[in-house]
Amino acid sequence: MTIEAFYVQLADLRIPIAVLVFAAPWITYLLCVAIPGKTEEPLLLSINLGLAIAGFLLLIGYLSYAVNIGGWRLVVTTADLLLLVLPLYHMLVSLWLSRRRLPLHLIPAFRTFQGLIMMAAAFLFLSWLGARIRIIFFSFVPFSTFLVLLAIVVGIGYAGYRKITD
């Protein structure tokens, strides 16, 4: 199965996927209310947050693939808006509901989430910069400024990596 075939299959099954993604945070919240506990609740919230992270990574992967192949025009003309918004909804609602149940630092997947967000932001910025940079760019921005900016972005990505591995 290729990446393109995977995303086509996601688009074909969009209604069942949308229902599952929409209901997942609420089902987890209800399970946490029904089965409270010091070990069960962080585990359930961590699994839900892990699923939200996986969906968010799929969104980032799709956006980086589509932008590098055809630009934002391809994303705007061919992407399904429902499938683009659902990972963000799942992530935000999962964080909100998790914070209502426990402090976020007690959920193991939250640290991973922070690191992946930092790494994803650095990757998207670097891929955008790599696609847009031309020689004329350096006539407007000094090379040393460009290197400092690049070092900051790579540092943010590394800090995200350290959050995941520590």
Side-chain angles (χ1 to χ4, degrees):
M1 172 181 276
T2 64
I3 294 174
E4 182 179 359
F6 175 73
Y7 283 112
V8 167
Q9 200 170 25
L10 278 178
D12 290 342
L13 299 171
R14 75 185 190 106
I15 298 301
I17 289 172
V19 170
L20 285 173
V21 169
F22 182 77
W26 300 102
I27 291 171
T28 304
Y29 184 76
L30 290 175
L31 284 173
C32 286
V33 170
I35 313 170
K38 292 198 178 275
T39 57
E40 294 85 6
E41 204 165 342
L43 177 67
L44 287 172
L45 293 173
S46 189
I47 289 171
N48 183 48
L49 199 55
L51 291 173
I53 290 168
F56 194 73
L57 288 176
L58 284 173
L59 173 67
I60 296 236
Y62 171 75
L63 287 177
S64 65
Y65 174 76
V67 167
N68 286 330
I69 296 299
W72 283 105
R73 180 171 290 172
L74 178 69
V75 173
V76 170
T77 58
T78 62
D80 186 7
L81 183 63
L82 178 67
L83 291 178
L84 289 177
V85 172
L86 272 176
L88 297 174
Y89 162 81
H90 190 192
M91 182 68 67
L92 293 175
V93 170
S94 294
L95 285 172
W96 178 66
L97 290 174
S98 296
R99 193 176 66 204
R100 290 189 58 159
R101 293 298 301 170
L102 289 173
L104 290 177
H105 70 275
L106 295 177
I107 301 170
F110 183 69
R111 185 179 175 103
T112 303
F113 164 71
Q114 287 177 321
L116 286 175
I117 291 298
M118 292 170 71
M119 287 174 52
F123 173 73
L124 280 177
F125 182 77
L126 287 175
S127 65
W128 173 80
L129 187 65
R132 298 288 180 254
I133 199 161
R134 304 286 184 259
I135 286 292
I136 199 161
F137 174 80
F138 294 110
S139 64
F140 296 110
V141 176
F143 188 67
S144 60
T145 305
F146 171 72
L147 287 179
V148 168
L149 178 67
L150 196 60
I152 290 171
V153 171
V154 170
I156 290 171
Y158 180 71
Y161 170 75
R162 293 294 298 188
K163 277 191 174 280
I164 292 173
T165 58
D166 284 345

